Amino acid sequence: MIKNILDRILLRPQVITLENGHEVTRPRSKAPYLLLLLVIGVYISVRTTGFDIAMFVRRFNQLPVILGRIFQPNFGFFSTVWPRLVETIKMSIVGTVLGCILALPLSIVSSSNIMRHRVVLWIVRVLISITRSLPAVVYAYLFSFVFGMTTFAGSLAIAVFTVGIVAKMMYENIETIDLGAFEAMRSFGGTTLQSFWTACMPQILPQYLDNCLYSFELNIRQSAILGYCGVGGLGVLIRARISVRAYEDAGMIFLLIFVVVFAIDLINDRIRSKIIRGH
Amino acid sequence: MAEIHAQENILEKLYSEPKNLWKRLLILAVLLVIVGWGAYGFEIGLDENGVNMAKSIFNGLTHPETELFNLGPKGIPYLILETIAIAFLSTVIGTILAIPVSFLSSTNIVPRPVALIFRAIVLFIRTIPSLVWALIWVRVTSTGPFCGVVTQSVCSIGMISKMNVTAIENLDTGVLEALDACGANTFEKIRVGVLPQLSASFVSTAIYRFDINLKDATLLGIVGAGGIGSPLNDAIGNMRWNRVGAFLIVLIVMVVIIEFVSTRIRARLAQGRR
Amino acid sequence: MNRPPLLPKNGALDMIEFKDVSKTYPNGTKGLKHVNLKIEQGEFLAIIGLSGAGKSTLVHTINRMIDITEGTLTVDGVDVMSLKGRELRRFRRKIGMIFQHFNLVTRSTAIKNVLSANVPDMPWYKTLFGYYSKEQKVRALEALDKVHILDKAYSRCDELSGGQKQRVALARTLDQNPSIILADEPVASLDPIIADVVMSDFARINKEMNITIFINIHHVDLALKYATRVIGIRAGEIVYDGPTKDVTQEVLNLVYMGKEVPVAGEKIEIEGMVIEQ
C-alpha cells in the first residue's frame, strides 16, 4: 500500500509526446533515489567511523616501510616457523574432514526437494547459517576456554565453520539435481534415505568433493590466523612477531603460507580434473 | 563360497566385471593416513574445568545481558551501527577503487604485461589474511573504526577485482566494434559499450562483498579495528559470558538478516530485473 | 508382521480394483472422476487419451505415488489408501514402474542401476558402501539378458541410447520380480522404431512371465498392436473399456474428441488396422 503510493509519486512514468503527436511512456528510473541513499549512507558511515583522510595521508609513509621489511623475509626464522606450519596444516585437515562429514547429512535434511517437512527444513537451515555467521576465530576463542589452548580447539572451530559453508553449497547443489532416479527408487519401495544415497549420491559426489577441496583451501588460510587467540598454529607466531615489530620474521611466515596455499591449490586442481574426467 | 548356478554367458559377464576395488581401497587408505597424521598427537584437553566452563558459557549465551541494549556509545545499537558503517564504507571505497584495478588486470582491455603486473598486486593483497592487514594498517591509522575501514577497503579491492576481471573477460566485444565504427574514443566506449554490460555483475559482487565485510568486521574488532568485535573480544577475555551472549545473538541475527536480503537482491540482479 | 498375502502367479483374480475413485488436486483440478475398473492378473492394458486427460494420474494412483481423494482402490485385496510407511514400501516392492525419462542414475553403470532394485531389502551398511552379493549380481545380469542388453552391463548409462536406457530401466524393474508393471509413457521419448521394439519387450514379458502390464501410452497404433485391453480416458472419465479388437474409429473419436489421433509410426489407417487384427 505505502509502496504503491511511493511508486505513484516518485516513479510516475514520464509521458513524452513526439513531434508527430505519438506518445511514449518512459518508466522513471530508480537510479537517482538509489544514488541519494548511497550518498546518505556514505555520509553517516564517514561520521560514525571517524574517517580521517588527513591522518591517512600524513602517516601513509609508514606503510612502505613495513611492507619493505615484510618483503625481506628472515630465512633464518624457518626452523621456528616449520613446526607451527605443520601444526596449522594438521589442524585444518582434521577440521575440514570433520566438518565435511557432518555437512553431508545436514545438507540432505535442508534440501527443499528431498525434505518434505518444512519446519525441520527451516530449523536446520537457520542452524547452518548461524554456524556460518561468525568467523572461525570467535569459535576458536570460545573453544579454547573449554578445551584449553590446544590444536583440537582449533580443529573444532574450523569444523563448525566448514559445516556452515559446505552444507550451504551442498543444499544449493542438491536442489538442482535431477530427481528421476530418486523417484524411481521411491516407486519400488525405497526409503527417502536409501533412495537418496543410491540414486542421488552418484550425481552430487563430484560437486561434494569439489566443495570439500574448496573448503580445505579456505581453511588453510583461516587456520593461519586462528592461533591469534592462542589455539596453536601460525597465528601464535604472527601475533608474537608483529607485536614486537619483527616484520622480517612475519614476512617469512607469510612467504611460507603463500607457498603452502599455492601448493595445495595445485594439488586440488589435479584432483579436480581427475574428478571431472569421471573417475 | 557358495556355488553359483547360471548360464555360461552370464557367468562370463560376471567375471569380466572391471575390478576397481583395489583402486578404491588405495584411495581410502591414503585418506586414512592423511587424517591419521593430522589427528596424531592431538590432545583433547577436556577436563572437569573445561566442562564447567562449557556450562557457564552455555548459560551465558542463553541468558544474554539485556542492559547492553541502551542507546549510549557503548550500547549494542551504536556498535551495530558502527559495524555496518565500517562494512558499508569499505565496500563503497573498495568497489570504486577496484574498477580501475580490474580493467587494468583484464587481458582483453590492456596489454598482457600490464595486466600481469596488476594481477600480481591483487594476488599479493589476497595472500595476506585480513587480520594481518589490520595489524599492518594499525601502524598508519592507529586503532579504531578508521583502521577497519582502511583494512577492509584494501581487502575488498583484492576480492572484487578478481570477480570483476572474470566478468570483464567474458564481455561481448561486438558492441565495441560497432562503437569503433561510429568513431567513439576509449572513454566513450567504456561508458556506452562496456558499463551497461557489466553494471549488474559489479553491483552483485559489491553486495556479496558487503556480506563478507560485515562478517569480517567482527574478526577485525579483535585486533582493535572497531565495530562490535572489540567489546566482544574484551568480554570473552574477561569471561563475561552474559555479555558475550548478547553480542553474539545480535551479531548472528544481523548477519543472517543481511545475508538473506543480499541473496534476494543478487538473485533479482541475476534475473536481470532492477 | 502382517505381510500382505503373496500374489498368485497364475490365477484370474481381480488384481486391481477401482471403486468410484476420484482425484482432486490441491489446486482444484479434477484428475479422475468416478473411475470404476477391474483388472485381472496377466492383462496387458493400454490407457489412451489426450494429454491432460488423467492417464498419468490413473497409473500413479496404483502404487500410491499419487493419493486418491475419493472412493476405494484395492490391489490384491489390500486397500491402498490404508497403507503407511513400512507397509506402503513393502507393497511397492511388488509393483514395478517405468518412466518416460527412464529415471536412471546416469553416472552409474547399467548393472549398478539394476542392482539398485535390491536396495530396499538390504541392511544399511551394505547400502552405504554399495556392496552387492554374487547372487544379486547374477540376477541383475539375467535381468539385463532378458531385455537383450547384457553386453552393456558395465557401460555407464549416460553412454547409452534412449532405447537402451529404457531397457536398463525395464531390467531394473524385472529384478524386483514384480507382479504388476506400471509404465508412464515409456516410449514417448523414443523414435518410432525403437518404441516398437520396447513395446514388444513389454509384450514378451507379459506373456512369458504373466506380469500384469498397465501402460499409459500416447501412440494409439502401438497400443492397438500390443495391448490386450484398451482403456480410453477423457477429462478424467473412462469413456471406453474393452478388448483391443473392439476399438473402432468411433471409439477413437470419442476418446480424442474428434481430434487427430497420435501415432508413433507413419500415419496408418486406423480402421484398416483394427480389421486386420
Side-chain angles (χ1 to χ4, degrees):
Chain A
M1 183 67 194
I2 295 172
K3 191 177 172 294
N4 255 339
I5 293 171
L6 275 178
D7 276 358
R8 288 260 180 87
I9 300 169
L10 299 177
L11 300 170
R12 194 155 43 89
Q14 190 179 7
V15 180
I16 303 171
T17 312
L18 302 180
E19 275 175 32
N20 57 10
H22 291 189
E23 280 190 351
V24 181
T25 41
R26 175 186 172 206
R28 201 64 76 89
S29 164
K30 286 180 193 165
Y33 304 108
L34 291 176
L35 201 66
L36 190 68
L37 276 180
L38 197 72
V39 169
I40 294 172
V42 168
Y43 177 74
I44 294 175
S45 303
V46 167
R47 291 295 299 271
T48 334
T49 56
F51 192 85
D52 185 353
I53 202 80
M55 175 165 73
F56 184 78
V57 173
R58 200 170 58 243
R59 292 174 54 175
F60 185 78
N61 56 357
Q62 289 280 324
L63 186 75
V65 176
I66 299 173
L67 286 184
R69 289 175 65 189
I70 285 179
F71 271 110
Q72 294 166 354
N74 171 13
F75 288 98
F77 198 53
F78 179 80
S79 54
T80 321
V81 182
W82 182 249
R84 292 295 191 175
L85 182 68
V86 172
E87 206 173 84
T88 298
I89 296 174
K90 285 167 90 165
M91 199 158 80
S92 31
I93 288 178
V94 175
T96 308
V97 170
L98 267 179
C100 289
I101 292 174
L102 283 175
L104 190 61
L106 282 179
S107 64
I108 299 171
V109 178
S110 49
S111 306
S112 57
N113 51 352
I114 306 286
M115 186 69 199
R116 295 271 166 238
H117 206 295
R118 291 291 118 164
V119 179
V120 180
L121 178 91
W122 281 104
I123 289 175
V124 178
R125 280 200 177 184
V126 168
L127 277 178
I128 290 174
S129 56
I130 287 175
T131 61
R132 229 166 353 113
S133 57
L134 295 178
V137 173
V138 174
Y139 290 117
Y141 207 176
L142 286 178
F143 289 147
S144 71
F145 281 90
V146 179
F147 298 99
M149 301 286 199
T150 55
T151 35
F152 180 72
S155 286
L156 215 55
I158 292 180
V160 171
F161 181 78
T162 308
V163 164
I165 53 167
V166 175
K168 178 169 191 238
M169 292 191 289
M170 282 318 293
Y171 76 65
E172 283 171 355
N173 283 337
I174 294 174
E175 286 182 349
T176 61
I177 61 173
D178 167 30
L179 280 182
F182 178 80
E183 194 198 342
M185 286 207 61
R186 301 281 297 161
S187 83
F188 56 74
T191 61
T192 307
L193 216 56
Q194 284 171 337
S195 310
F196 182 85
W197 190 258
T198 313
C200 304
M201 210 45 209
Q203 250 188 96
I204 59 164
L205 191 64
Q207 280 162 329
Y208 175 62
L209 294 178
D210 193 38
N211 290 339
C212 292
L213 291 178
Y214 169 75
S215 72
F216 182 55
E217 275 170 38
L218 213 66
N219 286 341
I220 286 271
R221 282 172 210 258
Q222 284 234 16
S223 57
I225 53 165
L226 272 196
Y228 201 81
C229 298
V231 293
L234 287 169
V236 183
L237 275 185
I238 297 180
R239 178 180 206 163
R241 300 323 290 168
I242 288 194
S243 67
V244 297
R245 309 200 179 185
Y247 294 111
E248 292 85 358
D249 295 354
M252 186 63 210
I253 302 174
F254 298 149
L255 181 67
L256 280 177
I257 295 177
F258 179 75
V259 170
V260 168
V261 169
F262 192 71
I264 286 173
D265 231 32
L266 279 185
I267 299 172
N268 283 356
D269 275 348
R270 293 207 59 176
I271 301 177
R272 274 200 189 106
S273 64
K274 276 214 161 147
I275 295 170
I276 289 168
R277 264 190 291 140
H279 148 69
Chain B
M1 205 172 123
E3 209 175 317
I4 296 154
H5 299 281
Q7 283 170 351
E8 194 98 329
N9 60 339
I10 303 269
L11 284 178
E12 191 186 310
K13 200 76 197 174
L14 180 68
Y15 295 121
S16 74
E17 181 182 354
K19 293 273 180 273
N20 48 13
L21 187 68
W22 284 113
K23 210 165 143 193
R24 282 193 193 183
L25 283 179
L26 190 73
I27 293 173
L28 195 69
V30 169
L31 264 178
L32 280 179
V33 166
I34 292 176
V35 176
W37 173 73
Y40 180 73
F42 256 35
E43 39 180 326
I44 304 177
L46 187 66
D47 49 16
E48 205 179 320
N49 225 340
V51 175
N52 286 335
M53 190 57 84
K55 275 183 197 154
S56 55
I57 292 177
F58 185 76
N59 190 40
L61 294 184
T62 43
H63 298 86
E65 203 172 297
T66 45
E67 61 207 66
L68 278 173
F69 291 89
N70 62 50
L71 292 175
K74 293 239 157 124
I76 282 184
Y78 182 77
L79 288 172
I80 291 285
L81 175 70
E82 194 177 275
T83 309
I84 294 181
I86 294 173
F88 182 75
L89 195 56
S90 50
T91 309
V92 172
I93 297 174
T95 306
I96 293 171
L97 293 181
I99 289 176
V101 174
S102 41
F103 277 108
L104 288 170
S105 14
S106 303
T107 44
N108 56 347
I109 305 282
V110 295
R112 212 177 170 79
V114 179
L116 288 181
I117 289 169
F118 276 92
R119 280 183 184 198
I121 294 173
V122 168
L123 186 69
F124 173 72
I125 293 176
R126 286 164 53 79
T127 304
I128 296 187
S130 58
L131 191 84
V132 176
W133 270 119
L135 289 171
I136 295 171
W137 281 113
V138 137
R139 303 276 178 235
V140 176
T141 60
S142 74
T143 54
F146 183 43
C147 174
V149 173
V150 174
T151 305
Q152 295 209 320
S153 303
V154 171
C155 296
S156 304
I157 295 175
M159 178 262 189
I160 295 177
S161 300
K162 184 166 185 277
M163 305 278 275
N164 284 358
V165 167
T166 320
I168 293 171
E169 296 197 330
N170 290 333
L171 268 178
D172 172 15
T173 48
V175 187
L176 295 186
E177 280 171 37
L179 285 171
D180 261 339
C182 319
N185 64 26
T186 307
F187 171 75
E188 288 161 352
K189 275 198 299 192
I190 289 180
R191 172 67 191 86
V192 182
V194 177
L195 279 187
Q197 282 190 61
L198 295 175
S199 55
S201 90
F202 279 14
V203 170
S204 176
T205 306
I207 293 171
Y208 182 48
R209 184 63 213 187
F210 177 66
D211 247 22
I212 298 176
N213 280 347
L214 204 61
K215 284 179 201 168
D216 267 11
T218 330
L219 181 74
L220 298 186
I222 291 173
V223 297
I228 201 169
S230 305
L232 169 68
N233 188 47
D234 294 343
I236 297 178
N238 299 328
M239 298 201 275
R240 298 189 58 181
W241 302 124
N242 305 69
R243 201 168 255 260
V244 175
F247 285 132
L248 288 188
I249 288 170
V250 169
L251 205 61
I252 288 170
V253 169
M254 174 178 80
V255 171
V256 168
I257 291 175
I258 300 267
E259 192 186 87
F260 181 75
V261 174
S262 87
T263 313
R264 277 290 178 85
I265 297 177
R266 287 195 297 135
R268 283 186 63 168
L269 280 174
Q271 284 165 9
R273 275 191 288 164
R274 296 187 155 245
Chain C
M1 277 198 273
N2 53 343
R3 210 187 165 98
L6 278 174
L7 300 165
K9 272 278 169 195
N10 295 298
L13 274 176
D14 286 338
M15 278 286 310
I16 305 172
E17 189 169 6
F18 287 78
K19 274 191 203 142
D20 200 29
V21 168
S22 298
K23 165 73 187 174
T24 313
Y25 283 100
N27 64 6
T29 322
K30 290 255 181 206
L32 297 174
K33 289 179 209 156
H34 308 288
V35 168
N36 283 293
L37 256 184
K38 273 186 185 182
I39 300 150
E40 290 173 2
Q41 180 66 40
E43 285 193 80
F44 191 144
L45 244 89
I47 308 160
I48 56 171
L50 289 168
S51 12
K55 300 195 297 271
S56 184
T57 309
L58 188 63
V59 169
H60 282 85
T61 54
I62 294 174
N63 60 352
R64 218 178 130 193
M65 294 297 272
I66 291 177
D67 287 350
I68 58 172
T69 43
E70 279 161 62
T72 49
L73 167 59
T74 49
V75 176
D76 189 33
V78 180
D79 179 5
V80 174
M81 287 306 287
S82 72
L83 297 170
K84 278 201 282 297
R86 185 194 287 259
E87 285 173 357
L88 176 63
R89 290 198 298 274
R90 198 180 296 131
F91 165 76
R92 282 179 178 169
R93 299 288 293 133
K94 304 179 300 182
I95 303 174
M97 194 159 200
I98 298 285
F99 304 82
Q100 177 182 355
H101 298 292
F102 328 122
N103 292 13
L104 298 171
V105 187
T106 48
R107 289 183 59 91
S108 292
T109 55
I111 185 167
K112 277 267 163 62
N113 269 287
V114 179
L115 284 167
S116 73
N118 293 301
V119 165
D121 296 331
M122 275 163 41
W124 66 270
Y125 51 88
K126 286 192 180 171
T127 309
L128 184 67
F129 293 105
Y131 175 82
Y132 303 99
S133 69
K134 276 251 153 65
E135 289 77 27
Q136 285 172 329
K137 283 183 188 167
V138 168
R139 257 200 302 130
L141 289 170
E142 281 169 352
L144 284 167
D145 197 26
K146 268 178 210 148
V147 290
H148 309 303
I149 196 167
L150 186 61
D151 55 321
K152 296 286 181 195
Y154 301 108
S155 305
R156 257 172 62 155
C157 286
D158 42 13
E159 296 163 359
L160 303 179
S161 70
Q164 288 169 329
K165 280 183 190 157
Q166 196 58 291
R167 283 157 164 217
V168 173
L170 200 51
R172 175 176 66 186
T173 301
L174 289 179
D175 196 51
Q176 234 179 288
N177 197 14
S179 28
I180 306 167
I181 293 180
L182 308 175
D184 185 20
E185 301 274 12
V187 295
S189 319
L190 306 176
D191 70 63
I193 296 165
I194 305 293
D196 193 84
V197 176
V198 169
M199 283 302 285
S200 71
D201 282 338
F202 274 109
R204 198 159 38 82
I205 288 161
N206 169 252
K207 280 204 193 75
E208 288 173 9
M209 306 169 78
N210 195 33
I211 296 175
T212 310
I213 309 256
F214 200 91
I215 208 165
N216 143 19
I217 188 161
H218 197 60
H219 306 310
V220 173
D221 52 341
L222 290 173
L224 297 180
K225 188 167 168 193
Y226 292 105
T228 55
R229 179 173 160 193
V230 170
I231 289 171
I233 192 163
R234 194 176 80 179
E237 281 175 287
I238 292 186
V239 290
Y240 175 80
D241 177 3
T244 311
K245 60 177 172 10
D246 296 347
V247 176
T248 57
Q249 188 61 52
E250 288 91 86
V251 169
L252 292 177
N253 283 343
L254 186 66
V255 172
Y256 287 96
M257 303 188 212
K259 291 184 186 143
E260 198 177 340
V261 175
V263 291
E266 285 165 43
K267 294 247 160 171
I268 324 167
E269 197 66 38
I270 298 292
E271 287 274 40
M273 213 189 87
V274 172
I275 292 161
E276 253 172 51
Q277 278 215 331

